[in-house]
Amino acid sequence: MYSNTHYEKYPNLKPWVGSKYGQSEVKKLLIIGESHYLPKGSVSALDAEQWYAGNQGSLTDKEKSWINTSGIIEHNIPKNFPKKSHWIYRNVAKEINKVFLGYENPANILDHVAFMNYFQRPAESEGGSINIKSLDLEVADRTVTDFIKTLTPDLVVFCSSKAGKYGALIVRRLGVECIVAPHPSSQWWNRIAKSYGGFGRDIIPNFLVKHQWAKSA
């Protein structure tokens, strides 16, 4: 499916593609987060060169589960992401669902979208933000470009200002409309900022309304 070999090394990092992605009632939407992180005490992702030269076979079962993008989303949709560490998915789905489709369980909105992390190496500390290396940017550029060319989203939203700082340039270079929002677990999600023109949580639904993501809007 993908021409980039990165996912052959780390198949658990493959993006989530919802079962209803691309159906006629909505446009194809890709949501991009920042990165995964590994459990406290893990040293597997501390060295960028070693991480990208290696593969997930060297990880423990616990580490593998923490970077399993599709597995995390699929397992938690029915429960609406109860763990705080997964609230990026919960909070994004909640705000989109207020405007579109109106599911009783807001997490079901994720069946209509694709999701990936921009950085393909986990952050160095549990719950932390990645310390970006040049190799992280090189791999992210190739991986995101490959994914967009493969699944041709109509719209892209970034749920991380750090990811959006670099990724928005790539997405726009590929001719796709995108927007950058703060991380849904950060203080700026529920605060008003002039740079956002309001609450951080409103950026994504406002962008989707503007670009008529769903016919029900």
Side-chain angles (χ1 to χ4, degrees):
M1 181 178 184
Y2 305 108
S3 61
N4 195 298
T5 59
H6 175 67
Y7 290 134
E8 295 177 7
K9 296 180 177 181
Y10 293 97
N12 280 20
L13 288 176
K14 286 182 180 179
W16 159 263
V17 181
S19 60
K20 299 179 181 178
Y21 176 82
Q23 290 190 357
S24 59
E25 64 182 317
V26 296
K27 294 180 179 179
K28 290 183 285 186
L29 171 63
L30 170 60
I31 299 173
I32 301 180
E34 187 172 307
S35 75
H36 286 295
Y37 51 78
L38 294 176
K40 184 177 180 180
S42 172
V43 298
S44 298
L46 296 183
D47 186 291
E49 290 188 3
Q50 288 183 6
W51 174 262
Y52 294 114
N55 61 71
Q56 72 178 47
S58 64
L59 304 181
T60 66
D61 288 343
K62 186 175 182 179
E63 288 174 327
K64 290 175 185 176
S65 71
W66 280 43
I67 66 168
N68 189 353
T69 305
S70 292
I72 291 170
I73 295 175
E74 183 175 18
H75 179 72
N76 284 281
I77 283 178
K79 302 181 291 185
N80 195 23
F81 300 93
K83 292 183 179 180
K84 189 174 182 179
S85 58
H86 297 155
W87 279 7
I88 177 176
Y89 313 106
R90 176 176 177 157
N91 289 345
V92 169
K94 176 183 176 182
E95 298 308 322
I96 297 176
N97 192 60
K98 285 180 182 178
V99 181
F100 301 98
L101 305 181
Y103 284 110
E104 182 177 351
N105 174 13
N108 287 334
I109 207 83
L110 298 178
D111 284 326
H112 296 271
V113 309
F115 179 93
M116 71 182 300
N117 280 309
Y118 184 71
F119 297 107
Q120 298 297 304
R121 178 173 65 92
E124 293 84 354
S125 60
E126 181 177 341
S129 181
I130 188 172
N131 294 311
I132 305 170
K133 307 299 182 183
S134 60
L135 194 53
D136 293 316
L137 296 175
E138 292 173 19
V139 175
D141 189 331
R142 293 196 301 268
T143 306
V144 171
T145 298
D146 181 40
F147 184 83
I148 289 178
K149 289 182 176 180
T150 300
L151 287 186
T152 61
D154 301 300
L155 302 170
V156 173
V157 298
F158 286 90
C159 298
S160 158
S161 56
K162 179 177 282 190
K165 176 182 178 181
Y166 301 97
L169 298 174
I170 296 168
V171 173
R172 289 171 181 145
R173 182 184 71 202
L174 294 169
V176 182
E177 294 282 354
C178 72
I179 196 72
V180 179
H183 195 288
S185 296
S186 74
Q187 61 178 327
W188 297 109
W189 188 252
N190 292 308
R191 290 180 63 178
I192 294 176
K194 288 183 179 180
S195 58
Y196 295 137
F199 288 99
R201 64 176 182 253
D202 293 332
I203 293 174
I204 296 173
N206 288 347
F207 172 76
L208 297 182
V209 168
K210 177 181 178 182
H211 292 283
Q212 300 178 315
W213 177 59
K215 295 178 181 178
S216 59

